[in-house]
Amino acid sequence: MSLPEIVTRADWCAAREALLAKEKAATRARDALNAERRALPMVEVDKEYVFEGGDGKATLLDLFEGREQLVVYHFMFAPEWDAGCRSCSAFLDQIGHLAHLRARGTSFAAVSRAPYPRILPFKARMGWTLPWYSSYVSDFNTDFEVTLEHEGELVERPGLSCFLRDRERVFHTYSTYERGLDGLGSTTSLLDLTALGRREQWEKPEGRASSLGAPAGSGRVRYHDEYED
């Protein structure tokens, strides 16, 4: 194994300061990229998709659970599989308490092509309580390019899609796949993919924070059992 070089504390501090300047530049570049993402146009989803979950049949609008935004994780679980994808399972394991997303007007759900009776025992085995739906009877997976045809066969790939709701109308605002999922999982990383972002006043474009907005680092964050959803 190749280990880092051993140096004095003074040399380490100097190297750390040099790296910190690059890290701050990367943070500013990421903020700018997130602002560009929020400025993307959106497309209305006018196709009727049918999902199956713990409460039976559901529409895409139902998955919002009354909130303004929805983040869908496209979990790889083909209809003939007995268990979900290991990498997708590791991704869901790192999703934090959903109360923090919900407090920012954003719902989260996993969606797979496997029939719900196959999903349910695996979900119980993993100990997950987050919403998970089957898209088995709809074209949702193919329309959002996570189930693809390759050499005459259907193949799965992981992805994540963001949606925005305006009353009864639903809009698709963003999707990312495969390596685009690297580094995601925290509340802020998921919100940064959405059209409304973190709902904080410093974010660009202006005017999207609404009444939920608060300066970065403010007292808006609560213990997850203290939010009024």
Side-chain angles (χ1 to χ4, degrees):
M1 183 188 303
S2 177
L3 299 178
E5 179 186 1
I6 299 174
V7 298
T8 65
R9 172 60 61 177
D11 287 343
W12 181 90
C13 288
R16 178 68 189 95
E17 285 296 320
L19 181 62
L20 181 60
K22 295 180 180 179
E23 289 177 335
K24 289 183 176 181
T27 297
R28 290 190 290 270
R30 184 186 64 205
D31 287 344
L33 182 62
N34 290 338
E36 286 191 48
R37 184 184 295 112
R38 288 189 293 271
L40 283 172
M42 60 186 183
V43 59
E44 186 165 5
V45 181
D46 51 15
K47 191 171 185 177
E48 291 292 332
Y49 295 107
V50 178
F51 305 90
E52 184 177 1
D55 295 325
K57 302 297 183 183
T59 65
L60 185 58
L61 184 63
D62 292 330
L63 271 56
F64 280 78
E65 298 178 328
R67 301 181 184 91
E68 292 174 283
Q69 298 194 120
L70 170 67
V71 175
V72 169
Y73 181 68
H74 300 285
F75 192 109
M76 293 171 59
F77 198 154
E80 66 274 13
W81 296 358
D82 294 322
C85 165
R86 288 182 173 85
S87 295
C88 290
S89 298
F91 184 92
L92 282 197
D93 278 339
Q94 66 188 4
I95 297 295
H97 202 290
L98 295 183
H100 300 290
L101 273 176
R102 292 167 175 169
R104 301 284 175 147
T106 304
S107 292
F108 180 92
V111 173
S112 300
R113 197 162 56 93
Y116 193 68
R118 282 187 179 267
I119 293 173
L120 195 57
F122 182 70
K123 179 182 178 183
R125 171 188 166 186
M126 294 292 99
W128 296 324
T129 58
L130 53 79
W132 194 351
Y133 297 88
S134 168
S135 60
Y136 180 66
V137 297
S138 77
D139 298 325
F140 185 76
N141 274 44
T142 53
D143 288 351
F144 287 91
E145 301 181 355
V146 289
T147 298
L148 308 172
E149 186 173 346
H150 179 67
E151 296 181 351
E153 295 184 358
L154 294 179
V155 296
E156 308 289 319
R157 68 168 173 167
L160 186 146
S161 294
C162 300
F163 301 90
L164 181 68
R165 180 175 69 89
D166 182 11
R167 298 179 178 84
E168 302 300 308
R169 301 173 70 187
V170 174
F171 300 89
H172 176 219
T173 60
Y174 184 72
S175 284
T176 189
Y177 309 94
E178 297 170 342
R179 285 296 304 276
L181 302 169
D182 288 359
L184 299 181
S186 67
T187 296
T188 51
S189 69
L190 295 175
L191 289 173
D192 283 343
L193 302 182
T194 66
L196 301 182
R198 305 183 191 188
R199 316 294 293 270
E200 295 179 350
Q201 300 290 355
W202 57 268
E203 290 181 300
K204 305 292 183 180
E206 296 179 355
R208 298 192 182 177
S210 74
S211 60
L212 293 179
S218 74
R220 170 146 189 86
V221 176
R222 302 283 187 264
Y223 296 114
H224 67 247
D225 61 352
E226 290 183 346
Y227 287 114
E228 295 180 7
D229 187 10

